[in-house]
Amino acid sequence: MTDLDVKTDLDVKPGRTEAGAIPGPGSLIWRYAGDWRGAFSGRAILLLQVAHPVVGAGVADHSEFLEDRWGRLLRTVESTMNFLGYRGEERGRREAARLREIHKDIKGVDAEGRRYHALNPEAYLWVHATLLHGMIQTQRLFGTPLTPERERALHAEWARLALALGITERHIPESPAAFHDYFDTMVNERLEDNATVRLLIELDREPLPPPPRWPLPAFAWSGISGPPTLMLGRMGVGCLPPVLRERFGLRWTAADQRRFRLFAQAMRAGDRVLVDRLRYSPMAARAMRRARRGH
């Protein structure tokens, strides 16, 4: 049996988590994590996460997403809204602590005989890293690319959130340039085509099942959800680094790239006239309105 970097950072020094910061109103994280266009890269972000061997093994062995896909999705959204601070700093800190607590028991041995633990520092940071990558990529592809100054400010907020989530400072890339080097190294040298990647790719070929209490026949749901599922699936493939498309065996032709480029160009053109109330997801928009009203 070999170890899959099974060492964890459970011995976080007192005060380290408190040194971090949950995002609040006016933060760049609220602005960019709340941008609904991030949905275009959602499939790619999930594949990036589970392609890490520790994350993939943990999902395969401990997640209930196959039995309760809608419940898992809604719980993930709820958790994300909480630790990003959309429901207040105190609730965000409680959620950050809860996430570390529940991950303490996610451990085991993967299909290759490698021991893993969900609080492996590299894996825990990697999942958080996909948040920053997704925010930057969404603006670069579908919005207004970040200036170097704004990217530095966003990176600083992301690093403070990492501390609040219990990621130790020595593991956090110290600058945007260091982050991009780290991200490229992970993609090129660490991520793998594993069973969870294959499962997600297969599941993504069909829409989610009808949501709970769906009032119409199942075929009506298929007719409504089929086209968006296909579109978001292709967008997700387009948002993956090319080396991962090849590693995962995902077909991507020159015609696919042309269509993707034209779609991204249209979205960037629309960004110039997109008003704020149409820029954010409903949950993020509600949080911003509450913040403006002072409660």
Side-chain angles (χ1 to χ4, degrees):
M1 180 184 296
T2 58
D3 289 350
L4 191 59
D5 296 331
V6 74
K7 180 181 177 183
T8 68
D9 267 354
L10 298 179
D11 57 339
V12 178
K13 295 179 181 179
R16 172 59 69 191
T17 300
E18 286 73 20
I22 299 295
S27 66
L28 293 178
I29 286 181
W30 271 36
R31 176 180 178 86
Y32 295 127
D35 191 323
W36 64 267
R37 292 168 296 185
F40 296 137
S41 63
R43 264 59 168 192
I45 296 301
L46 285 176
L47 288 175
L48 284 169
Q49 291 177 356
V50 302
H52 190 286
V54 172
V55 180
V59 170
D61 292 345
H62 298 273
S63 176
E64 300 175 349
F65 77 97
L66 275 179
E67 294 80 12
D68 183 18
R69 292 177 67 187
W70 274 104
R72 177 65 174 140
L73 174 63
L74 294 174
R75 288 191 296 273
T76 298
V77 171
E78 176 85 6
S79 174
T80 303
M81 291 293 294
N82 285 337
F83 77 72
L84 290 181
Y86 288 116
R87 291 172 175 154
E89 180 181 2
E90 182 179 352
R91 193 162 176 176
R93 289 194 179 277
R94 287 202 306 268
E95 181 62 17
R98 187 190 74 86
L99 287 171
R100 285 194 66 83
E101 186 64 29
I102 65 174
H103 282 84
K104 286 181 180 180
D105 295 327
I106 299 178
K107 54 189 173 182
V109 179
D110 74 0
E112 303 297 324
R114 301 172 296 189
R115 290 187 296 162
Y116 68 86
H117 195 295
L119 286 181
N120 162 286
E122 181 191 84
Y124 206 60
L125 172 63
W126 175 245
V127 173
H128 188 52
T130 62
L131 169 66
L132 180 58
H133 167 74
M135 290 188 290
I136 294 171
Q137 183 184 56
T138 294
Q139 298 309 311
R140 176 173 58 82
L141 291 176
F142 308 117
T144 299
L146 303 184
T147 63
E149 294 76 18
R150 181 154 288 202
E151 187 173 339
R152 282 194 296 271
L154 179 62
H155 173 273
E157 291 182 7
W158 170 84
R160 290 192 292 271
L161 175 57
L163 293 174
L165 289 168
I167 299 169
T168 51
E169 188 171 11
R170 68 179 180 274
H171 295 119
I172 301 171
E174 62 184 10
S175 68
F179 176 85
H180 291 301
D181 288 343
Y182 151 81
F183 184 87
D184 290 344
T185 298
M186 291 292 292
V187 166
N188 290 316
E189 300 179 9
R190 191 67 167 118
L191 303 189
E192 64 180 22
D193 182 8
N194 57 42
T196 307
V197 168
R198 305 314 311 165
L199 177 59
L200 289 186
I201 289 173
E202 186 61 31
L203 289 175
D204 209 32
R205 301 186 193 283
E206 299 291 338
L208 281 166
R213 296 185 292 277
W214 174 250
L216 301 177
F219 71 82
W221 169 255
S222 299
I224 293 170
S225 61
T229 296
L230 178 62
M231 188 272 285
L232 290 174
R234 296 313 292 166
M235 289 293 105
V237 175
C239 288
L240 279 172
V243 66
L244 289 186
R245 289 201 293 263
E246 181 176 352
R247 192 174 303 164
F248 298 161
L250 293 169
R251 185 171 179 268
W252 189 254
T253 66
D256 289 326
Q257 184 60 36
R258 284 194 298 272
R259 286 191 289 267
F260 182 83
R261 185 174 62 249
L262 289 172
F263 179 83
Q265 287 173 348
M267 294 301 299
R268 288 196 300 273
D271 189 63
R272 303 188 187 101
V273 296
L274 193 63
V275 296
D276 276 356
R277 69 175 180 274
L278 299 178
R279 187 182 302 275
Y280 303 114
S281 69
M283 287 182 287
R286 284 197 296 271
M288 293 176 184
R289 288 196 297 270
R290 285 196 302 269
R292 284 195 294 269
R293 292 196 300 263
H295 58 81

